[in-house]
Amino acid sequence: MTQRIALVTGGGRGLGKNAALKLASKGIGLILTWNSNEKEALQVVDEIRQSGGEAAALPLNVGDISTFPQFIKQVRETLQTQWQSDTFDYLLNNAGIGINAPYPAFTEAQFDQLLNIHFKGPFFLTQNLLPLMNRGGRILNVSTGLARFALPGYSAYAAMKGAMEVLTRYQAKELGERGITANIIAPGAIETDFSGGNVRDNAQLNAYIASQTALGRVGLPDDIGDAIAALLSDELAWMTAQRVEVSGGMFL
């Protein structure tokens, strides 16, 4: 069987890196994207190759749609060069940033930055990649537990993720005729360097989140990477248009 290929945006660090490694361990080829740290992304590529897998890393600023035509060209070339293929199978829209600011003080510049990276970018990137996606492919978007519960300072970030949840249902509806599924995973608080690593490094915050989580601890990258690999597995091929929260039961 031809090797399946996944494209993971923001695959050089955090949850994207973990997901890429988990997918590679299942024999899936990886195209990772990076924006500001090529070295980290290439280290992930090396780790995958050392484990017997195949991977490549490409630059991409998800927040700037004017760069997408050049990126699509690079994806085409990479598919041909490394896999002798014209198509790929899985798209994980993972790249993102966090901005925490009180609603009364939130600026238009902050809002626009989140909009471009978390909604406009994934909307049009997925659209541009559709011609390269195999029939029966999978789209997996990334939301947040903050779209279900509210914590001060995350109004714009959570709103963008809420928009992605709605978009996911429309993608599932409109792309189903090609056998493409679209789902969205919503992690809770995770110990990564996201948003400055506050959840990981602030012991008081970490303990508070653990106390408000049914399973009694803060999430780890492996918790999400394993869930992503499961959501993209053949066993869940009949699932589409679903929001799946993976938070250990946070704020129930």
Side-chain angles (χ1 to χ4, degrees), residues 108-124:
E108 183 179 4
Q110 290 173 318
F111 183 94
D112 287 346
Q113 187 178 16
L114 287 174
L115 174 67
N116 289 334
I117 293 172
H118 286 286
F119 185 55
K120 184 178 181 180
F123 185 106
F124 287 104

Side-chain angles (χ1 to χ4, degrees), residues 146 149 151 154 187-191 197-220 247-252:
L146 291 160
F149 51 79
L151 293 177
Y154 291 103
I190 306 294
E191 292 184 5
N198 202 28
V199 171
R200 179 192 61 199
D201 301 333
N202 185 323
Q204 184 176 359
L205 176 62
N206 192 289
Y208 171 72
I209 293 171
S211 74
Q212 300 298 312
T213 301
L215 295 180
R217 64 171 174 83
V218 172
L220 301 173
S247 67
M250 187 174 171
F251 293 132
L252 296 179

Side-chain angles (χ1 to χ4, degrees), residues 17-80:
K17 171 184 176 180
N18 191 277
L21 294 174
K22 296 289 186 179
L23 291 170
S25 73
K26 297 182 179 298
I28 296 170
L30 270 299
I31 297 177
L32 317 174
T33 78
W34 56 273
N35 181 30
S36 59
N37 198 324
E38 180 181 15
K39 182 179 178 180
E40 284 185 346
L42 292 177
Q43 287 173 344
V44 178
V45 169
D46 287 343
E47 187 171 346
I48 290 172
R49 288 178 174 170
Q50 288 171 12
S51 298
E54 186 57 57
L58 299 176
L60 172 66
N61 179 359
V62 175
D64 183 359
I65 68 171
S66 70
T67 66
F68 289 179
Q70 176 61 25
F71 175 70
I72 300 302
K73 179 182 178 182
Q74 290 181 300
V75 171
R76 288 183 185 275
E77 292 172 351
T78 302
L79 287 169
Q80 279 287 344

Side-chain angles (χ1 to χ4, degrees), residues 2-16:
T2 303
Q3 184 182 28
R4 295 178 184 175
I5 303 165
L7 195 160
V8 178
T9 66
R13 47 173 285 276
L15 298 184

Side-chain angles (χ1 to χ4, degrees), residues 74-148:
Q74 290 181 300
V75 171
R76 288 183 185 275
E77 292 172 351
T78 302
L79 287 169
Q80 279 287 344
T81 301
Q82 294 198 214
W83 288 278
Q84 295 74 56
S85 176
D86 296 318
T87 55
F88 71 100
D89 303 277
Y90 311 129
L91 172 61
L92 176 60
N93 282 311
N94 165 78
I97 63 168
I99 297 178
N100 180 294
Y103 173 61
F106 218 91
T107 69
E108 183 179 4
Q110 290 173 318
F111 183 94
D112 287 346
Q113 187 178 16
L114 287 174
L115 174 67
N116 289 334
I117 293 172
H118 286 286
F119 185 55
K120 184 178 181 180
F123 185 106
F124 287 104
L125 179 64
T126 304
Q127 183 191 76
N128 277 264
L129 286 168
L130 284 175
L132 302 183
M133 183 170 283
N134 276 324
R135 181 173 181 83
R138 313 282 182 79
I139 298 166
L140 184 58
N141 298 316
V142 178
S143 182
T144 173
L146 291 160
R148 174 178 62 84

